[in-house]
Amino acid sequence: DTGVSQNPRHKITKRGQNVTFRCDPISEHNRLYWYRQTLGQGPEFLTYFQNEAQLEKSRLLSDRFSAERPKGSFSTLEIQRTEQGDSAMYLCASSRTSGGGTDTQYFGPGTRLTVL
Amino acid sequence: QQQVKQSPQSLIVQKGGISIINCAYENTAFDYFPWYQQFPGKGPALLIAIRPDVSEKKEGRFTISFNKSAKQFSLHIMDSQPGDSATYFCAASGSGTYKYIFGTGTRLKVLA
């Protein structure tokens, strides 16, 4: 396994611009998760996919946020009309269905977004 | 009811000492409790995890103690080393969802 990869690692944008992040999960992991982490806090759940289906979305995921996972492989998270409050680390994790109970999630290095 | 409360917020331990971090939860439907280690600018890395059918799990210098009746679990780091200096997060999951609910983190500093 090469681990979860995320690109870009850093993104600086101006308020009002759109940004898109990509996550490549560990191969054969069917579940993929997005979290947001602000400084000094634990990661907060945004959304998750099982294969290509988006099964759960947090209330944190406003209308400006959209996530996709075409063909059940990589995923993208897009933020439209960015606001300064969107500045955070965006983490992606993946897991493989274990057949019972909750899976172990493996995290990527994150994409740090700074909105000026 | 979905919160996981973590303490202390920060911890300073001498090299070779024992670091203890505590977490408490409310939702009795949670069935998976992992601990993650995070270094600055990096993603969280899984350390050790436990399910409620056991009261303790040990992996190397890391031990999770789980008290189901008290709805508490803790991480013990034995023989703490300066390289263990990082932020540690507990998490909980279950109750019909696969998302993790994270604690607020404990910043550990191990003095050489």
Side-chain angles (χ1 to χ4, degrees):
Chain A
D1 289 337
T2 57
V4 178
S5 61
Q6 292 186 246
N7 287 288
R9 294 293 311 279
H10 303 275
K11 179 70 177 178
I12 300 174
T13 191
K14 292 182 179 179
R15 189 179 57 182
Q17 298 294 305
N18 298 345
V19 294
T20 300
F21 310 140
R22 177 179 169 125
C23 171
D24 288 89
I26 294 171
S27 59
E28 299 182 357
H29 277 196
N30 60 333
R31 291 191 178 131
L32 187 148
Y33 311 78
W34 286 99
Y35 291 83
R36 181 173 69 186
Q37 185 177 26
T38 53
L39 204 61
Q41 299 297 315
E44 294 176 292
F45 171 78
L46 292 177
T47 188
Y48 96 90
F49 293 83
Q50 179 157 316
N51 300 314
E52 65 275 11
Q54 188 173 19
L55 296 185
E56 188 172 351
K57 294 198 299 186
S58 162
R59 287 172 295 175
L60 291 174
L61 214 64
S62 75
D63 292 344
R64 297 185 297 106
F65 288 70
S66 62
E68 294 182 341
R69 193 183 182 198
K71 303 178 183 178
S73 55
F74 70 92
S75 175
T76 57
L77 177 68
E78 180 183 17
I79 308 175
Q80 296 182 326
R81 304 182 304 281
T82 52
E83 301 172 356
Q84 288 185 324
D86 297 332
S87 296
M89 175 81 89
Y90 289 84
L91 294 163
C92 177
S94 69
S95 70
R96 181 170 54 194
T97 308
S98 62
T102 305
D103 316 331
T104 297
Q105 295 180 24
Y106 297 90
F107 283 81
T111 294
R112 178 160 300 282
L113 172 66
T114 301
V115 182
L116 301 176
Chain B
Q1 196 179 24
Q2 290 286 0
Q3 281 188 325
V4 176
K5 295 182 179 180
Q6 184 171 346
S7 63
Q9 188 174 1
S10 63
L11 182 61
I12 299 175
V13 172
Q14 293 288 337
K15 178 182 176 182
I18 303 173
S19 303
I20 301 174
I21 305 170
N22 302 298
C23 283
Y25 63 98
E26 290 293 325
N27 191 337
T28 55
F30 285 148
D31 64 1
Y32 189 67
F33 303 89
W35 283 91
Y36 284 83
Q37 179 189 58
Q38 187 175 31
F39 293 102
K42 307 292 185 182
L46 178 70
L47 269 180
I48 187 172
I50 197 167
R51 297 190 188 273
D53 52 344
V54 297
S55 60
E56 187 174 280
K57 183 174 181 180
K58 183 176 181 180
E59 288 184 2
R61 296 185 296 111
F62 302 96
T63 300
I64 298 180
S65 296
F66 187 83
N67 185 329
K68 190 173 181 178
S69 61
K71 292 183 286 186
Q72 295 176 348
F73 58 109
S74 60
L75 174 70
H76 296 233
I77 306 174
M78 313 300 287
D79 187 27
S80 299
Q81 299 296 313
D84 297 331
S85 297
T87 300
Y88 292 80
F89 293 97
C90 63
S93 185
S95 184
T97 176
Y98 297 104
K99 67 185 179 189
Y100 286 0
I101 308 296
F102 281 87
T104 50
T106 296
R107 182 174 291 186
L108 171 66
K109 185 176 178 66
V110 181
L111 302 176

